[in-house]
Amino acid sequence: MSKVVLGGGLSGLSAAYYLSKKIPSQNIALIESSNRLGGWIKSNVLSDGVIFEQGPRTIRPHGEAGANTLSVIEDLGLSDKVVPILLSHPAARNRMIYANGKLHTLPSTVGSIFKKQSPFSKPLIRYLLQDLFAPRKNVPDEPIYDFVSRRFGQEFADYLISALVCGISAGNSKEISVKFLMKQMFEYEQKYGSISKGLVQNIFKKREKNGVKRPTVESQTGTMECVFS
Ligand SMILES: Cc1cc2nc3c(=O)[nH]c(=O)nc-3n(C[C@H](O)[C@H](O)[C@H](O)COP(=O)(O)OP(=O)(O)OC[C@H]3O[C@@H](n4cnc5c(N)ncnc54)[C@H](O)[C@@H]3O)c2cc1C
């Protein structure tokens, strides 16, 4: 009996790919309603060769999901299409958000989180510390905006998370599920009571796991720009 995958976006293509790997003899039909594959991926090559991505363009190679994505890229022979952006790169260091009618540079060094920097009304460290003391709320899921407001305060959600969610998925942080976009952060709260505690626990776990083989490209990058063409 053949299997049918509905939708030829990243999810459908990935599902078809894993199905074909798991059961090589299986017939797989992929049904796509539009006249192209890729879903949200839309790469426009301009006349001067510059590639303008209308949809997704970055991969965060962290955790199990990140390692998995990198494995698929390697399996498909697409590694040379990935442009690693090191954490020291100006594009990674200089993050800007548009708020209250102007551009603001986000704190990017350890020192800068202790200084008040517009558009925030207090140093970033104060919002981060709030997470340590904010009570855990046992919920099955909630909008990212609500989750972040509870843990870090409303300004953090308004200025940082709304911009981040727009940048990542052109979405509305008041509608997108925290479990979908920030699953690990959500689980840290549910499991350890706060994100900071979860992060510390994770550092210890990683140390224990040292020696586990990971895809090579991950070890040298923080964020990666990936060209889908
Ligand atoms: C502007 C923007 C920037 C983004 N940037 C990033 C980024 O940098 N990094 C990142 O990781 N993520 C990013 N995302 C999120 C990422 O694009 C999505 O999570 C991902 O593309 C979703 O893939 P999908 O296959 O689930 O859905 P889609 O891409 O929406 O694909 C669904 C497919 O199913 C087809 N379809 C729908 N209904 C039917 C039907 N009934 N029958 C047959 N076919 C059907 C559609 O035509 C479409 O091709 C971004 C999103 C946007 C909008």
Side-chain angles (χ1 to χ4, degrees):
M1 206 175 72
S2 58
K3 301 265 186 229
V4 177
V5 174
L6 196 60
L10 281 175
S11 306
L13 291 171
S14 307
Y17 171 77
Y18 286 116
L19 259 178
S20 70
K21 270 188 85 163
K22 202 172 172 193
I23 325 170
S25 59
Q26 182 82 61
N27 278 332
I28 302 161
L30 190 135
I31 300 177
E32 167 55 48
S33 59
S34 71
N35 60 2
R36 55 181 284 282
L37 293 172
W40 272 108
I41 293 178
K42 281 180 194 141
S43 312
N44 291 321
V45 184
L46 308 182
S47 55
D48 54 5
V50 170
I51 299 172
F52 178 70
E53 299 290 354
Q54 277 184 276
R57 71 205 175 287
T58 55
I59 298 164
R60 287 194 65 78
H62 295 296
E64 209 178 322
N68 196 32
T69 307
L70 292 175
S71 295
V72 176
I73 289 173
E74 283 185 7
D75 277 4
L76 297 175
L78 293 171
S79 299
D80 63 330
K81 301 269 183 195
V82 177
V83 182
I85 305 293
L86 300 176
L87 288 172
S88 55
H89 193 280
R93 290 170 65 102
N94 300 315
R95 301 279 182 197
M96 304 189 92
I97 53 166
Y98 184 77
N100 305 333
K102 55 180 181 176
L103 281 172
H104 306 265
T105 308
L106 288 176
S108 62
T109 58
V110 176
S112 61
I113 67 170
F114 294 94
K115 292 179 197 143
K116 186 167 96 66
Q117 208 167 313
S118 67
F120 301 98
S121 66
K122 43 190 182 183
L124 218 56
I125 187 72
R126 299 262 302 269
Y127 304 93
L128 298 176
L129 285 175
Q130 189 174 325
D131 168 63
L132 271 178
F133 306 104
R136 174 197 343 230
K137 187 176 169 190
N138 290 315
V139 280
D141 196 359
E142 66 185 322
I144 289 189
Y145 184 90
D146 295 356
F147 174 77
V148 172
S149 295
R150 275 196 303 105
R151 301 236 51 93
F152 299 101
Q154 199 183 333
E155 275 192 357
F156 203 88
D158 276 334
Y159 295 133
L160 212 56
I161 297 304
S162 294
L164 201 80
V165 172
C166 270
I168 293 174
S169 60
N172 182 343
S173 63
K174 292 183 178 168
E175 291 175 4
I176 290 189
S177 134
V178 62
K179 227 170 154 178
F180 168 68
L181 214 60
M182 294 169 69
K183 188 164 180 264
Q184 200 170 34
M185 303 294 135
F186 178 74
E187 285 173 357
Y188 283 162
E189 185 204 37
Q190 298 298 306
K191 204 167 166 190
Y192 304 107
S194 89
I195 296 172
S196 336
K197 287 178 196 160
L199 284 170
V200 172
Q201 294 278 347
N202 198 36
I203 291 170
F204 285 120
K205 272 192 189 157
K206 263 191 184 161
R207 284 199 181 148
E208 277 168 27
K209 268 192 188 169
N210 249 352
V212 172
K213 191 177 175 289
R214 287 182 172 275
T216 48
V217 78
E218 181 187 12
S219 55
Q220 22 163 327
T221 57
T223 303
M224 287 201 293
E225 297 284 329
C226 184
V227 179
F228 299 95
S229 55

